[in-house]
Amino acid sequence: MTRIARLIGKRRGDHSRLGFALQVVTVRHLGMFLADPLDVPVELVDYLAEQLDIEDPSCVKQYTEREKTKLEHAWEIQQECGLSSFAAVESELSAWIADQAWVTGDGPKAILEGAIAWLRDRRALLPGIATLERLVAEGRQAAVGEREVAPLPAGVPQRRQARRGGRGNRRAGATHRRRAGRAADGGAGRSAGWRRCGRSCRC
């Protein structure tokens, strides 16, 4: 039995066990906790309920009746999985974004994908996509000012590949953008992705 499975087993009540498991799957799949832990496809709820031998999956509706429960569980999962909060790395990420924008001259999409890979490499929770887009915009704006004051030295390539992992990081970033977008807008294909995640995150 894994440590996460033991933590799930300690919950009191089927609704608490199922809600806890949903938060585990969410953070593994998206890299973040949802504001509403129940904003997931019903297929995922049914699948996890089956894995946990819970006869009535609809009991999970009770999970959000107490606001503090989801927050306490999220904190516990974060500690158990060794995840850093976004706030703990935000200033470092902002500096990295500004540096990338100044050195590489990359556009917002490439820098955004690099930022997502940067966070995942450091096992940090991801913020909402709007927050990352804001940081990228601010970093690129700062880079414009820096270039006006201190242009790049001669011989430094404008588009130096400075991101660790190259194309792999770009693929990882693109994947997160799709996942985060689907979590926010309920786009087509979301259910299939969650079902795959449920199968790969057995409790």
Side-chain angles (χ1 to χ4, degrees):
M1 181 181 291
T2 66
R3 290 179 298 176
I4 290 294
R6 285 194 291 271
L7 286 177
I8 292 172
K10 290 180 179 179
R11 304 306 111 186
R12 298 178 59 183
D14 287 348
H15 69 283
S16 187
R17 292 195 297 130
L18 186 50
F20 192 98
L22 283 172
Q23 294 226 67
V24 170
V25 169
T26 296
V27 77
R28 287 179 174 177
H29 185 55
L30 296 180
M32 64 176 72
F33 294 102
L34 296 177
D36 179 2
L38 306 187
D39 186 22
V40 297
V42 66
E43 294 91 342
L44 178 64
V45 177
D46 291 343
Y47 177 81
L48 290 177
E50 181 181 351
Q51 294 297 305
L52 297 170
D53 293 323
I54 294 173
E55 293 185 0
D56 181 14
S58 67
C59 70
V60 77
K61 295 176 182 178
Q62 302 174 43
Y63 184 66
T64 53
E65 290 180 355
R66 179 176 177 268
E67 181 70 15
K68 288 182 64 177
T69 297
K70 69 175 185 179
L71 299 177
E72 291 168 352
H73 287 182
W75 182 88
E76 192 171 354
I77 294 166
Q78 180 181 335
Q79 298 304 306
E80 185 63 34
C81 295
L83 300 172
S84 301
S85 69
F86 176 72
V89 300
E90 182 175 2
S91 60
E92 187 180 354
L93 175 62
S94 295
W96 181 89
I97 288 172
D99 179 68
Q100 288 295 105
W102 187 75
V103 173
T104 68
D106 279 345
K109 181 178 179 181
I111 295 176
L112 178 65
E113 291 171 350
I116 291 168
W118 187 95
L119 289 166
R120 287 194 174 276
D121 284 346
R122 288 156 182 77
R123 296 186 59 78
L125 291 172
L126 275 66
I129 199 69
T131 297
L132 286 178
E133 289 174 339
R134 174 180 58 79
L135 291 179
V136 169
E138 292 173 354
R140 295 185 73 237
Q141 184 61 41
V144 170
E146 287 290 334
R147 281 179 173 168
E148 291 175 352
V149 174
L152 285 173
V156 176
Q158 285 287 316
R159 298 186 61 81
R160 185 177 69 188
Q161 180 62 29
R163 287 180 301 281
R164 177 185 171 191
R167 294 181 181 177
N169 276 356
R170 291 191 176 189
R171 287 196 295 270
T175 297
H176 175 73
R177 280 185 64 87
R178 291 193 297 271
R179 288 174 174 173
R182 289 166 184 167
D185 63 19
R190 185 177 73 171
S191 294
W194 279 112
R195 286 196 298 271
R196 287 193 296 272
C197 179
R199 288 193 294 270
S200 64
C201 298
R202 293 179 181 271
C203 299

